[in-house]
């Protein structure tokens, strides 16, 4: 059976020397391979899994739904799981977030947000075309999402096809004053359509973390300039930063919020683009003002059923306590990693812990030889850690125990000592 795998083109697979892992089962924070090896999923399978793999209640919720209604066109139709999900989200979000547009994944949630803002200005008779984004941003792999992402190794073959974006310097290394000056300069040079940011953590751009007050200042300055703000909470949403949503760390609110990954507890792909009544209002009236966008599987009842159950679990005191505990443990992990010889910039926001290994030239990029060495070492020891170039990080699911983290820290220490040795 496995020989067929040679015909599967796996994503982000640039290595020819690494075998594909054959996972046959998931059990909580662990993946189980064909050979019976148990692997601690220390990156929540690309940051999606919240409550663990093969979670009994989540699986049961999807199973119940599959016997009721598996799929229905979402244009002009609705169904209970979608309505229940929006009801649940409206209970945990400010009333400011009034309208929910469904799509299929993180990248499509971003595409929808970008198109929504471009058409908002179009419907208002304004020509505002240029987006602002951070230099090391990552918002997805489709063309609009790539356009507002960092120009580099991921985008190089496509750079000429990407639309114009004015980049702001990275917030982790730029003081607030300089950031606001860059915003001001960009606004005076361009008719700005919107500002898109990953709040608190620039994820795939290297787990770059920045303070909430800087985010607050930037959002307020942009909105004071009449620039709508998109928060990409595809990664940081649903508890990763210690609060249910990253924007809860500040008082200001974005005009658009993008959600995916943990939205369904990591069970099924789904994206949500949430906007204000003010934005929605610009699409009402004449037919030509309508938002003519949609995907075949928009509002998948199965994904919605998973999302309803995941949100219910997230809101339980037990899960809230686990998240708080995980934040606490990761702070301990941070102190421990800071003791390691040679590592730089050990950092933590909520449940996310990251550090950077010293590297120069090609080794400082995504294709660094350090990443695969760490990955192989950790996997052999039963921990899934997938560095991004020289950046090593942990994003554990909320079911991870203290012993699981202890294992991850130990293995990480060994891997780093070996890679730098
Ligand atoms: N935005 C952010 C912040 C992400 O981290 C990602 C995926 N890593 C995306 C968007 C794209 O999501 P997807 O992979 O589901 O298209």
């Amino acid at each position: 059976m496995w020989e067929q795998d040679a015909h599967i083109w796996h994503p982000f697979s640039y290595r020819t020397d690494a075998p594909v892992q054959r996972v046959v089962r998931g059990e909580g924070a662990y993946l189980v391979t064909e050979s019976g090896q148990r692997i601690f999923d220390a990156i929540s399978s690309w940051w999606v899994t919240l409550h663990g793999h093969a979670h009994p209640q989540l699986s049961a919720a999807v199973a119940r739904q599959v016997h009721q209604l598996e799929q229905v066109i979402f244009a002009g139709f609705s169904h209970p799981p979608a309505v229940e999900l929006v009801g649940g989200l409206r209970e945990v979000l400010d009333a400011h977030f009034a309208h929910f547009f469904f799509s299929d994944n993180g990248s499509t949630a971003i595409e929808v947000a970008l198109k929504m803002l471009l058409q908002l200005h179009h419907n208002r008779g304004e020509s505002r075309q240029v987006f602002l984004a951070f230099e090391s941003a990552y918002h997805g792999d489709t063309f609009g999402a790539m356009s507002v992402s960092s120009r580099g190794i991921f985008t190089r073959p496509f750079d000429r096809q990407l639309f114009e974006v004015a980049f702001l310097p990275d917030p982790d290394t730029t003081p607030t004053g300089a950031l606001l000056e860059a915003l001001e300069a960009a606004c005076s040079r361009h008719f700005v359509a919107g500002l898109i940011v990953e709040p608190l953590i620039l994820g795939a751009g290297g787990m770059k973390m920045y303070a909430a007050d800087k985010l607050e200042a930037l959002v307020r300055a942009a909105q004071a300039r009449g620039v709508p703000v998109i928060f990409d909470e595809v990664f940081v949403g649903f508890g990763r930063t210690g609060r249910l949503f990253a924007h809860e760390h500040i008082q200001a609110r974005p005009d658009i919020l993008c959600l995916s990954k943990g939205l369904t507890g990591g069970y099924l792909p789904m994206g949500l683009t949430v906007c204000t009544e003010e934005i929605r209002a610009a699409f009402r009236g004449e037919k030509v003002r309508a938002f003519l966008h949609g995907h075949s599987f928009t509002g998948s009842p199965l994904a919605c059923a998973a999302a309803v159950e995941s949100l219910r679990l997230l809101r339980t005191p037990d899960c809230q306590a686990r998240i708080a505990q995980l934040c606490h443990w990761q702070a301990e992990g941070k102190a421990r990693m800071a003791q390691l010889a040679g590592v730089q910039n050990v950092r933590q926001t909520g449940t996310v812990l990251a550090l950077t290994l010293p590297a120069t030239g090609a080794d400082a990029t995504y294709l660094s030889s350090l990443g695969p060495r760490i990955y192989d070492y950790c996997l052999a020891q039963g921990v899934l850690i997938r560095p991004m170039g020289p950046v090593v990080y942990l994003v554990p699911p909320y079911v991870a125990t203290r012993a699981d983290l202890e294992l991850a820290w130990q293995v990480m220490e060994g891997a780093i000592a070996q890679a730098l040795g």
Side-chain angles (χ1 to χ4, degrees), residues 12 46-48 104-110 137-142 145 149 196-199 201-205 207 232-236 258 260-261 269-271:
F12 279 91
W46 257 345
W47 324 341
V48 302
D104 297 349
N105 56 64
S107 301
T108 56
I110 300 296
Y138 176 86
H139 296 289
D141 286 346
T142 50
S149 298
I196 179 164
V197 299
E198 291 156 90
I201 312 175
L202 274 62
M207 291 293 167
D232 175 351
E233 293 215 29
V234 166
F235 164 42
V236 293
C258 297
S260 187
K261 291 192 188 275
M270 188 160 70

Side-chain angles (χ1 to χ4, degrees), residues 15 20 26-27 49 98 125 166 190 273 297 308 319 337 356 374 392:
R15 292 182 66 186
V20 168
E27 286 173 8
T49 308
H190 305 282
T273 306
F297 288 96
V308 167
C319 189
M337 294 302 139
T356 306
I374 303 268
V392 188

